[in-house]
Amino acid sequence: MPSLALTRLPFRLLPVLCIAALAAAVAAPSPACAQALQSRLFEVTKSKKLRVCQYPLYYSISFRNPKSGQIEGIDADLSKELAKELGAELEIVESSFGTFIADLQANKCEIGMFGVGASLKRAQAVEFSKPYLVTNIYAVARKGGPIKSWADVDKKGVKAAVSLGSYIEPFMKSYLKNAELVSVAPPNTREGELVAQRVDVIITDYPTAIKVTDEFDWAETIVPEEKLAVTPYAYVVPQGDQIWLNYINLFIDTIKLDGRLMKYAEKNKLGPIVAP
């Protein structure tokens, strides 16, 4: 019936009605615009609180110092810088590689900042920022133990530990043909399993390899003959919030240009793996 009513109007009024309809369509926000207006960027600057998911057992990245109780590492430092840029109070939400996707989807935090490997599989559930670190995998073993070279890692009887939910876990599942893979879930750690001699070697990334061998005189790093599982590390945000993702990407560009990224990387002995 609306179309019949329209045909009865004087012909000279039709252009006016069309223009009015077009103006109304432009003025009314589309669902995409309405969603954008709910960006976490606006919520954080309004509430002045930034909730950051971190894994507090990650050496050099976000590791809780047992003496001080404070989380230390490059992302401990950079999360403070991000909060400062936003004029917000920083709140750390404990997470892990096995739970961070669910934590983001459940709105427990606005961003994950703890050296998350950017993988295509994870990108089906979360958004990744530009990379800020790039690393490959290493082995850490006990000096004088059965693992003396990378060739010893994949032998029968060897137990190799990885962190549950890490990007290293699926890679090693396909890589190992003879050794047994042990996936370690929090609050247990790969390092603790190695100390207790329940595993023979841990497979890890550059940050953990450097930290463990620096802190423990019984540990040594074993480097593969070729770089394996080269992976960019990035920050993670929930899907569907382009405004927030754009801001985080600009933050990464900014700290690269003004030197803060390299400053905190070198402070935590991660200078060699800063992303270009």
Side-chain angles (χ1 to χ4, degrees), residues 138-192:
Y138 301 82
V140 177
R142 295 185 303 272
K143 293 178 180 178
I147 310 300
K148 297 177 173 57
S149 70
W150 185 261
D152 295 325
V153 170
D154 192 18
K155 288 184 176 180
K156 289 189 180 297
V158 170
K159 290 185 176 182
V162 297
S163 289
L164 179 69
S166 67
Y167 77 91
I168 298 174
E169 183 185 27
F171 175 81
M172 292 305 294
K173 280 183 179 179
S174 62
Y175 181 84
L176 295 177
K177 301 297 185 286
N178 301 298
E180 177 186 349
L181 188 69
V182 178
S183 297
V184 182
N188 297 325
T189 64
R190 295 163 300 180
E191 300 77 41

Side-chain angles (χ1 to χ4, degrees), residues 15-274:
V16 177
L17 290 174
C18 289
I19 293 172
L22 180 60
V26 171
S30 67
C33 291
Q35 184 179 13
L37 293 174
Q38 300 302 314
S39 174
R40 289 162 183 81
L41 175 61
F42 307 137
E43 293 173 3
V44 168
T45 53
K46 182 178 180 180
S47 68
K48 298 193 178 300
K49 179 180 288 187
L50 174 67
R51 299 172 301 164
V52 175
C53 277
Q54 287 187 342
Y55 177 45
L57 299 175
Y58 198 168
Y59 281 119
S60 299
I61 300 290
S62 54
F63 182 75
R64 176 171 285 110
N65 186 318
K67 294 181 180 178
S68 67
Q70 299 298 309
I71 294 180
E72 301 173 351
I74 186 171
D75 282 333
D77 293 323
L78 290 176
S79 60
K80 293 174 184 175
E81 292 294 323
L82 177 59
K84 188 188 304 181
E85 294 287 357
L86 290 163
E89 177 187 354
L90 177 63
E91 178 184 332
I92 300 301
V93 178
E94 292 193 13
S95 187
S96 71
F97 289 107
T99 65
F100 77 89
I101 291 177
D103 291 339
L104 283 167
Q105 292 175 340
N107 195 34
K108 292 184 178 180
C109 54
E110 283 79 37
I111 184 172
M113 300 179 70
F114 57 97
V116 179
S119 69
L120 292 173
K121 184 176 181 180
R122 286 171 170 170
Q124 296 177 35
V126 293
E127 298 273 11
F128 282 102
S129 70
K130 293 179 179 180
Y132 66 108
L133 301 174
V134 180
T135 185
N136 50 289
I137 63 174
Y138 301 82
V140 177
R142 295 185 303 272
K143 293 178 180 178
I147 310 300
K148 297 177 173 57
S149 70
W150 185 261
D152 295 325
V153 170
D154 192 18
K155 288 184 176 180
K156 289 189 180 297
V158 170
K159 290 185 176 182
V162 297
S163 289
L164 179 69
S166 67
Y167 77 91
I168 298 174
E169 183 185 27
F171 175 81
M172 292 305 294
K173 280 183 179 179
S174 62
Y175 181 84
L176 295 177
K177 301 297 185 286
N178 301 298
E180 177 186 349
L181 188 69
V182 178
S183 297
V184 182
N188 297 325
T189 64
R190 295 163 300 180
E191 300 77 41
E193 296 299 294
L194 187 61
V195 170
Q197 300 190 30
R198 287 188 286 268
V199 299
D200 303 294
V201 62
I202 64 174
I203 310 300
T204 184
D205 58 2
Y206 184 89
T208 299
I210 291 297
K211 190 71 173 180
V212 171
T213 51
D214 273 357
E215 289 202 352
F216 304 107
D217 57 9
W218 50 262
E220 62 179 345
T221 299
I222 296 169
V223 183
E225 295 178 358
E226 60 178 325
K227 289 186 177 181
L228 299 174
V230 177
T231 303
Y233 282 7
Y235 297 139
V236 285
V237 298
Q239 289 181 331
D241 192 341
Q242 191 63 45
I243 292 176
W244 182 227
L245 179 60
N246 289 347
Y247 185 87
I248 299 304
N249 281 332
L250 181 59
F251 171 74
I252 291 172
D253 287 340
T254 301
I255 60 176
K256 284 180 179 179
L257 290 171
D258 66 22
R260 279 180 288 175
L261 177 57
M262 185 58 73
K263 170 187 172 182
Y264 290 119
E266 291 180 342
K267 172 187 173 183
N268 293 283
K269 300 185 178 180
L270 301 179
I273 63 169
V274 168

